[in-house]
Structure formats: structure tokens, C-alpha cells
Amino acid sequence: MATPHPLRRLAGFARPHRGTAVLATVYSVLNKIFDVLPELLIGVAVDVVVNQEDSFLAGFGIPDPLQQLYVLVALTVAVWVLESLFEYLYAVKWRGLAQELQHALRQAAYGHLQKLPPAVIERERSGRLMAVMNEDVNQVERFLNTGANDLIQVVVSSLLVGAVFFVLTADLAALAMLPIPLILIGAFWFQKRLAPRYAAAREAAATVSARLNNNLAGMATIQAYTAERFEAEHLRQASDEFRARNADAIRFSAAITPVIRMAILAGFVATLLYGGMLTLRGELGVGSYSALVYLTQRLLWPLTRLADMVDLYQRAMASVNRVMDLLDTPVPPRGEAPLPEGARGALHFSGVGHDYDGRPALHGIDLDVPAGATVALVGGTGGGKSTLLKLLMRFIDPARGRIEFDGADLAGLDPEALRRRIGYVAQEPFLTDGSVADNIAYGEHQPDRARIEAAARAAEAHEFIAALPDGYDSPVGERGGNLSGGQRQRIALARALYRDPRVLVLDEATSAVDNETEAAIQRSLATAARGRTTLVVAHRLSTVRHADRIHVLEAGRIVESGTHDELIARDGPYAALWRLQTGDVAGTTPG
């Protein structure tokens, strides 16, 4: 099925704003009508001065030339006032529509992005997504600010002036308007060749944005490895590609105006010469000839702006397609059923399998997590531990098998209702650019200060928070940059506990902290896990040795399960990992 034209896609999105668009179009048309009339009034003025009692206005019962001039002045004032009024009105409507659509497009794009699974977003370059929601949306706004009105007025001006020409002299009209089809054909020819060039330029711009975004996030690593010149060269190459794609488009767009000016010259010279000959022979009045000379310029000269219009239009249409493609990205089906009443947090994985790009990541996982139990998933990298957590959080759905929450199939549950009952702590916690309190009560419009402090105390974060300059109101900085890694992790844990979840999910929550911070987090977890189902993914086996059940995963399969002591006694993969990490040949450590 062919993709609809971008203008049609934009019109479909803007349907709620159709009334504003229609009104803006009416104002643009009325403004152009009153904009063309002054040229006709110039012809009438010449006619009054030359023919006096025999002028055009005399035919309306105004024989006195002086009275004719008074009427002409009154008409001129009225025309100019109305032209100015409608110019104001169309500017307000078009610019208002541009702002409304810009806001609506950005909100819709971001809202749709939030409905997509993290895996889909991860496959996209963050710089490209940023370019879509910023530069592409802004490009559409720029087109609606000026380009839409310009296109409407060029069409209306051509129709109005053409009609006047044909009323006065059809022969001269044909000559004056002869260049118009050539101009339009040329403009569409250029347009067709500009479209792919601007699409390529937008993709190149997204590459530059992605490179900058990546480098800013990793500047410490770049400097640590003295890779500044290396990355500067990468950025130069991306920027050069963007410059080359833009230059390719500019070479085409810059050629439009000179070609159009030559076509306009032909039409103007035809009017000047042939119209003058008709006037000299007495076949055309002096006033009519004056009006036609002015109108020829009025008819043809706006076409010189076709270059800018086509340029703006093509940039906007390329951007519209990119925004609409994002909005058309399919959202996976989601359940709508609420969680069972009195949720306890019992989890059951039955024959769960999942693939990444055709490569199996999980093979028929059967796993029970009783309500209130602490269960750990351990094993080497690539074993499938994090995939199981993503499946539980409904970030992805299993290709095979079934996952149950208190006996209810996750596939039929409302993901938002599910996630509200789960406290999730990631290996690299995300902190928003707000205060400590904002981050602990993240997502809540009316946070409870007492609950915030209670959650912080439970996460052993209260002491360091109280020592901050503004306590709980201290800003954490962008991505939590004002805090240490351990402090960020404890705030993330406090955030999970603030929700009072039935299930606590910890994905390598202590892998990037020091021993003291790990010990503090372990103490807080021991308290937080009471009465809650806790699912822990860990590389450090010391953090899960007190779990009720430990499952060892290798290559997407559970290879052994048991308590710490049982697994050590079994002397299998878990015991080997324990010896590797602790050097404890006997497999025991002080309790």
C-alpha cells in the first residue's frame, strides 16, 4: 500500500484544527483580493486625469473629475484598511495554527514514543528521535507560519489578475500569462528532485545530532582515553556529510529563482510592448494600459518566491513524513484487565521463551516465585536474566509460554496497572533533573513528604540527603550528576519503596557501588523485602546468598536451583562462580 502524500497525512492529523485552517485561508484570500485592487485603482486614477468627464467613474453618475478623485481617495483608503485588517487576521490565524500544531505534533510524537516498548526505542538512535521531535516539528511550524499563506496567495493572485487581464484584453492576457505554465512546470520539476535531497539532508542532520548526543553523554570516557581528536574527526565526518547533503539541495533550490525571473521578464516585456502598441493604436485606454503594466508585475513577480516556497515546502514535507512515520510505528497489543484484588505478588513463568532477531535468548523457562519470597537470578553475561525481568515488566512480550501474576496472565493485564505494583531498580538508575524529593516521589503530582522521608530512611539514604545543602529540596542535576553513583542508587531504591510495591525488582542494583554502599543497600533490602515478593538479578553472589531461592541461568536455561548452601554443596555452576568471586575453596563464609 502506497504511503499517502505528506500533506494529506498532515491534514489528517490536523483535522481537529480544520476550522482554524479554513478561517486562515479565507483571510489570506480576502487579503490578496484587497492587495490586488490598488493596481486597478491606479489605472482608474490615470483614466480620471486623462479622460475626465468621459472616464470610467463618470459612467457611475459622477461627471465632475474632482468628485471622481474624492471617490477614488475614499476607495483607496477603504481598500488599504481592509487589506491591512485581513493581513493581521491571517497572520494571527496561521501563526496560531502553527503553534497549536507544533505543540500537538510534539506531544503526540512523545506520547506515542512512551507507548512503545523500550526495545523499540533502543533500536532507534536517540539523536534521530530528538531531531524528529524538535527540528522536524519546528520545520512544520515554519511552513505553516509563512509558507502556507504564500502558496494560497500566489494561486489567488494569479486567478484574480488573470481574470482582470481577460476582461480588459484577451490577447494581452494570453501573452502575459504564457510564462506561468512554464514557471509551474519548472517549479514542480525542481520540487520532484528536491524531495529526496531534503530527505537525505534530514537523515544526515539526525546523524550529527546522534553523534553529539552520544559524545556529550560519554565525555568522561572520551577524555579518559584521550580520544578527543578521534571523536572530533567522527563529528567532522558526520557534519561534512550533512553539509554535502544540504549543498546538494541548495544547488537545486538556488537555481529556481533565476530561471523564474527570466520567464517573468518575457511576460513583462510582452505586456509592455504589445500593450503599448494597442494603446498607441487607440485599441486600449491609457488607464487600462497603466493598470495592465502594474498587474503584470503583480501577477508574475510573486512567482519569484516560488523558490523559497518550494524550498520551505519540501523541507516541511520531509519532516512531516518523519514525524508521521514515528506516529505510525505500531504499538504492541496491550491488555486492559486490572490486577486481581488484594494482589499478593506471586509470579509464575511457564515454558517462557524469547528470541532477539531470530536468536533464542530464553528456552522454555519454568520458574515459580512465591508471594513474599526473595528469589535471585544469577549467572554469566548473556544467560537471560535481564530478559526475564523485561518480560515481567512487559517491556517485551514472550515469543512462547506464559507469565502469571497472582494467577492472571500478564498478556491480558493493563501494563500500567501491573507496573504500579512493581518497584523497579535498574543497574544505572534514571534520575530526572529535579530535587531529591521529586525523584523519590517520581511520577506523583501530589507527593507525600512523610512517605518520601520514610522511603529514604528505608533505603538508608536519609543521612546523606539531610547533609545536602537544601536537604530533600536539593537539585540532583541532569541525570543525577550532582550525586555519587551510590547516592543515585539509594535514591532509586527509595523511589521504588515509596510506591509500596507488591513486587520489588532489582536489576544489578549493587553492581556499580562500593562495598560500604553495597552493605547499606543490603541492609535496607533485608527490611524492604519483608512481606514483598523480591526478584533480584545479580552478578555479585554475596548480595543474594540469603535469598530464599537462587536460580542459575546459562544460555537461556535454568541449569540449577536451590538455596546458597544447597548450591554450594552441589558443587555445580553456582559453586564454581562462588569460588571464582570469593576464592573460598570450602564454599562457606562467615555469617
Side-chain angles (χ1 to χ4, degrees), residues 560 563-572 574-575 579 586-588:
E560 61 177 353
T563 64
H564 171 80
D565 292 337
E566 290 170 352
L567 293 173
I568 290 294
R570 197 171 297 163
D571 198 23
Y574 180 87
R579 288 193 295 270
T588 59

Side-chain angles (χ1 to χ4, degrees), residues 29 44 152 198 216 281 283 298 310 359 380 394 416 427-428 435:
V29 171
V44 173
I152 290 168
Y198 276 129
L216 289 174
R281 292 204 300 261
E283 298 176 22
R298 176 52 63 97
V310 169
R359 298 190 306 275
R394 291 288 309 274
E416 290 184 14
Q427 180 177 357
E428 297 180 5
S435 68

Side-chain angles (χ1 to χ4, degrees), residues 195-209:
R197 286 169 168 82
Y198 276 129
R202 294 302 311 133
E203 287 297 328
T207 300
V208 173
S209 181

Side-chain angles (χ1 to χ4, degrees), residues 269-290:
V269 167
T271 303
L272 199 64
L273 180 60
Y274 186 62
M277 291 169 60
L278 291 177
T279 305
L280 289 173
R281 292 204 300 261
E283 298 176 22
L284 186 66
V286 175
S288 296
Y289 176 60
S290 302

Side-chain angles (χ1 to χ4, degrees), residues 310-366:
V310 169
D311 185 88
L312 191 60
Y313 174 80
Q314 282 301 341
R315 286 179 183 268
M317 293 306 101
S319 292
V320 166
N321 272 334
R322 285 160 56 85
V323 176
M324 293 302 161
D325 286 347
L326 173 58
L327 289 174
D328 290 342
T329 304
V331 177
R334 49 180 286 168
E336 297 180 355
L339 261 67
E341 289 292 331
R344 299 178 302 111
L347 306 174
H348 178 66
F349 296 75
S350 177
V352 173
H354 191 72
D355 307 326
Y356 290 113
D357 297 324
R359 298 190 306 275
L362 293 175
H363 304 269
I365 296 293
D366 292 310

Side-chain angles (χ1 to χ4, degrees), residues 24 48 83 88 140 225 249 405 481:
V48 167
E83 178 198 353
Y88 168 77
V140 176
Y225 282 84
F405 187 107

